[in-house]
Amino acid sequence: LSYAREIELAPLIVASRDDKVIPYPLALNLAEAFPHTPETVLLDQLSHDGFLYDSRVMEAIHSYLVALS
């Protein structure tokens, strides 16, 4: 978490309450560690591997990257 303070732009955090790899509370703690408020996508009923196949996640990533450019 200490490295998060060195990030100079608002990151994108995608988290699910059903993620068994990165527990939801840990994802929220990570989001709070950044100096800039992150863009966040908070989901339910999505496993860690499910992120890659979820249209909401893909749209959030696309929007985030467009906003950066």
Side-chain angles (χ1 to χ4, degrees), residues 19-53:
D19 189 338
K20 303 292 187 236
V21 176
I22 301 175
Y24 189 73
L26 183 59
L28 296 179
N29 287 344
L30 176 62
E32 292 175 2
F34 290 96
H36 302 282
T37 304
E39 298 290 327
T40 56
V41 178
L42 305 176
L43 304 165
D44 289 312
Q45 301 177 345
L46 192 62
S47 69
H48 187 78
D49 294 338
F51 289 137
L52 297 176
Y53 306 103

Side-chain angles (χ1 to χ4, degrees), residues 54-64:
D54 189 275
S55 61
R56 297 167 295 177
V57 174
M58 293 298 109
E59 178 58 34
I61 292 170
H62 179 263
S63 296
Y64 176 78

